Amino acid sequence: MDLKKIDNRIIFLLFILFLVVVLIFSNRQNIYKRFSMGVSQIRREAKEFVSVLSGIGKEIAKKFQDFLFQPLRNSNPVSENQGSEGGTEQIKNGSLQEKELPDSEVLEKTPESFLTPSGIIYWTNIQREQNQLPSLKTNAKLNSSAAKKLEDMFENQYFAHISPEGLVVEDLAEQFFYEFIVIGENLFFGDVGDDETLVQEWMDSSEHRKNILNPYYEEIGVAVRKGSFHGKQIWMAVQHFAMPFSSCPEIDETLRIRIERNENELSEIKNNLDTLLAEIEAMEPKEGQEYNQKVIQYNALVSQYNILAEENENLVLEYNSQVQAFNECIERVK
């Protein structure tokens, strides 16, 4: 620090203090002389005196602060590399390739990434809403399947949709008894800062964008955490999307059960009819009380058979209609 500048500032401070002493003495003399003016006048003079002192005090404080504090300006911080979506392109010879900067350029790094499942879901739905699509609902079973995928990748040190055991997203969903019409998966590893940036990374990739904006998906599960991957601490994230089985028109399985039961009963009635008919045709003469009773019994069974057959036909029509609607739903998704 320049000693000459310091001497000038000390002289300036001493001059200010001298003025304060003179002002205090002058105002005190004036107050003594004017005592006869009354208490109210003295109070006004005192207020003016305090006001003057306050203004001088602020000015001195400002000068003193300027003298003591001279903050230095830092250069702009340098951001860390962002991991690409594909991830595997960053791995060479078993280690992550990072950008190296000269020591003179490394002044400050951006804050460490922090990712959350709720934030990823939020920004995913923002992207869908901006594209006139309904928001995805969080599903606990899909959260579990996504977490299973995440832990498996860290445990077995791989980054791919197909695990070393050959398992894919469909297998993981079935392990948690999630029934689906269609299902998909997005994966990420790297360092992107926050949830919004991560979702944007996916949006910038055509295949991952398709999953986020798939109009048939209705539910989502997400898992994300930081862990050790090939000797580096890195973030991984998993998204599981799905259209649940319940989204297509339901097929009433009780209809099928009733149809099968009716068919068995119709078969039994048919056998009884064949037996009665054979007996009637063998009777001679074809008259009398016994003959007439057989005929009446046969005709009653025929009526019962026809009523049940008609009922079953209507059940078959209803069941087939439901199956057709379900199949059409499946075809639309495909």
Side-chain angles (χ1 to χ4, degrees), residues 21-63:
V21 172
V22 171
L23 181 61
I24 292 173
F25 179 78
S26 174
N27 275 275
R28 185 175 296 176
Q29 293 289 350
N30 289 336
I31 291 174
Y32 290 153
K33 291 179 181 180
R34 297 179 185 180
F35 184 81
S36 60
M37 296 173 64
V39 175
S40 61
Q41 182 65 25
I42 293 175
R43 286 178 178 174
R44 285 196 297 271
E45 292 289 336
K47 287 182 181 180
E48 293 177 3
F49 173 65
V50 170
S51 176
V52 171
L53 285 180
S54 175
I56 294 174
K58 290 180 181 179
E59 183 65 23
I60 293 174
K62 182 177 184 302
K63 295 293 184 181

Side-chain angles (χ1 to χ4, degrees), residues 259-274:
I259 290 170
E260 291 177 353
R261 185 174 62 241
N262 288 347
E263 287 177 347
N264 292 333
E265 188 175 349
L266 286 169
S267 179
E268 185 179 347
I269 295 174
K270 179 68 167 55
N271 290 334
N272 291 336
L273 285 172
D274 291 343

